[in-house]
Amino acid sequence: MTKTGSNWGPLVILMVNMFITMVGMGLIIPILPKFITEFGASGQDMGYLVAAMGVTQLLFSPIAGEMSDKYGRKIMIVGGIGVFALSQLLFGLSGQMWLLYVSRLLSGIGAALLTPAMMAYVADITQEKDRGKGLGLFSASMSLGVVIGPGIGGFLADYGLRVPFYVATAIAGVSVLLSMLFLPETQSREARQVARTAERKRENLFKQLLSSFRAPYFVLLLLVFMLTFGLMNFEAVISLYVDVKHGFTPKDISLMITLGALAGVFTQAVLFERLLRRFSERQILIAMFLLSAVMMLAVLVTKTYVSVFAVTILFFVATTIIRPAVNTLLSKMAGNEQGFVAGMNNAYMSLGTIAGPSIAGVLFDVNVNYPYVLGAAFMVASTAMLIGWKERSRVGSTAPLQEGAAAVRD
């Protein structure tokens, strides 16, 4: 397909697919406390369920990226949304706990198949001058899905706890049909043949992670992990926490999470650029990490729905500002290693997605307050790392970037 600035039809289909996937990921959150009681499950089980998706997404993403080059974007996109539809149906039909885990692992595979192929598709159909706009719209569909997912899940649960998963399955099925019928392949047959015959040596994920330890931006990658850990630590058990401690309903929980996330998205879209004009990225990060820590501790002392609501909104606002600030610093320090840094950013996010909910679930069974104490400690530690890293980062300039690039290549 020829790249054109006005070829936005396929992009709309991509955005619908990604939106559906993100909605499906998020709608589970307000439903889980009530849903897993049917299986006699614990907070630990809930944490592991949320984390399971991150495991397969981490493992399959690098493979899926290569497969989209070798076999085309369309087949990966259709396959990814199909696997996701299957995972939602399996979750809704499950009568045993192990099937819930299988469902979440399948969700991770579906997301891993989708994301690299979709990003490559956007690059295929846009000229360089329009690519930022295309990727921005694509990212917006992801964010909107994340925001709306819990809300949809909570409101559909009024018709039955399994209804949201059946609805997600049906919508995903429609998305598969739309993609099969109207989404053209952008990777030429010749390009696919070249990719299949090319002998490219790809470092395994473990070696890539080791390389990142020696890079000058390692502290920033570590902050990505700690932010994701704290965010997922908060989200994974907040619905169970307010259900146990305050008796909130799925609708209460979905409204709280949805409006909190909306406030975060609004802040990122409207206020972040203004904050950057007045403060440095480091100043913003220190303030927001501290605010996140305070809000995680505030959860433990709030007693009314309104106060929990307010704390949740402030937490989401803080964490939503942190991510683009970290990404901006990472981009500035990456030099000619932008691709590697983007991959490592995703890897550290996945590790945080795995570790945060898992540990939060285990701690929740010991004491319902412990996940938030640990999350606050992570946010405070992140602030201390930023303060201590300041002087070392000034030493960086060009030399460390070159050393970091060399370390990546070694």
Side-chain angles (χ1 to χ4, degrees), residues 64-368:
E66 286 191 3
M67 289 176 67
S68 76
D69 289 335
K70 293 179 179 180
Y71 303 105
R73 320 298 189 206
K74 181 174 180 175
I75 190 172
M76 301 301 294
I77 292 169
V78 171
I81 200 76
V83 170
F84 179 76
L86 177 62
S87 74
Q88 295 300 294
L89 179 61
L90 180 60
F91 204 100
L93 294 174
S94 294
Q96 299 180 44
M97 197 69 191
W98 69 271
L99 286 174
L100 298 183
Y101 283 109
V102 172
S103 167
R104 293 296 287 174
L105 291 170
L106 282 173
S107 291
I109 295 174
L113 295 177
L114 275 172
T115 306
M118 286 184 170
M119 298 295 282
Y121 198 107
V122 173
D124 290 343
I125 65 174
T126 56
Q127 295 177 349
E128 189 170 340
K129 63 184 178 65
D130 297 309
R131 193 158 303 151
K133 179 180 178 181
L135 290 172
L137 290 170
F138 179 72
S139 298
S141 70
M142 294 177 66
S143 298
L144 189 61
V146 170
V147 168
I148 290 177
I152 293 175
F155 284 98
L156 287 177
D158 282 350
Y159 301 96
L161 289 179
R162 297 173 186 263
V163 169
F165 301 102
Y166 300 146
V167 171
T169 301
I171 297 175
V174 172
S175 184
V176 168
L177 290 175
L178 285 174
S179 299
M180 292 177 64
L181 294 173
F182 302 111
L183 196 67
E185 176 57 60
T186 59
Q187 182 83 328
S188 69
R189 184 175 300 176
E190 293 77 14
R192 281 176 271 166
Q193 184 62 36
V194 169
R196 285 197 292 268
T197 56
E199 295 184 4
R200 291 179 295 180
K201 185 178 180 182
R202 176 172 56 85
E203 283 189 329
N204 63 50
L205 181 61
F206 181 71
K207 286 186 177 179
Q208 291 182 34
L209 287 171
L210 285 179
S211 295
S212 74
F213 294 170
R214 302 192 294 270
Y217 41 75
F218 171 65
V219 168
L220 295 176
L221 292 173
L222 195 55
L223 287 175
V224 170
F225 166 78
M226 297 181 79
L227 167 64
T228 309
F229 181 99
L231 180 60
M232 295 307 298
N233 182 91
F234 182 94
E235 287 189 349
V237 294
I238 186 63
S239 54
L240 197 58
Y241 178 86
V242 294
D243 175 56
V244 170
K245 210 162 186 181
H246 305 296
F248 288 1
T249 66
K251 186 177 288 187
D252 293 331
I253 296 167
S254 67
L255 184 64
M256 179 179 72
I257 294 176
T258 300
L259 291 183
L262 274 173
V265 171
F266 174 81
T267 302
Q268 186 180 38
V270 177
L271 299 181
F272 179 66
E273 188 177 349
R274 297 180 182 180
L275 287 173
L276 275 180
R277 287 200 293 263
R278 295 194 61 182
F279 308 100
S280 68
E281 290 94 343
R282 178 181 164 275
Q283 290 173 323
I284 293 171
L285 286 171
I286 290 174
M288 292 302 105
F289 270 117
L290 282 177
L291 178 59
S292 300
V294 171
M295 291 304 103
M296 293 193 91
L297 293 177
V299 168
L300 306 179
V301 297
T302 51
K303 299 185 183 301
T304 66
Y305 183 72
V306 172
S307 60
V308 176
F309 204 122
V311 167
T312 302
I313 287 178
L314 287 173
F315 178 81
F316 276 117
V317 166
T319 53
T320 304
I321 291 174
I322 289 172
R323 194 173 299 283
V326 172
N327 288 342
T328 301
L329 279 176
L330 268 172
S331 180
K332 288 179 178 178
M333 293 196 68
N336 61 352
E337 297 295 327
Q338 296 288 342
F340 174 78
V341 171
M344 285 297 95
N345 191 338
N346 185 63
Y348 279 82
M349 284 176 59
S350 297
L351 290 172
T353 301
I354 295 166
S358 301
I359 295 174
V362 172
L363 291 177
F364 187 88
D365 286 342
V366 179
N367 186 300
V368 296

Side-chain angles (χ1 to χ4, degrees), residues 349-392:
M349 284 176 59
S350 297
L351 290 172
T353 301
I354 295 166
S358 301
I359 295 174
V362 172
L363 291 177
F364 187 88
D365 286 342
V366 179
N367 186 300
V368 296
N369 296 325
Y370 285 176
Y372 296 100
V373 174
L374 178 64
F378 262 65
M379 296 305 189
V380 171
S382 299
T383 304
M385 285 170 51
L386 277 165
I387 294 171
W389 179 69
K390 179 184 177 182
E391 295 302 321
R392 291 195 294 273

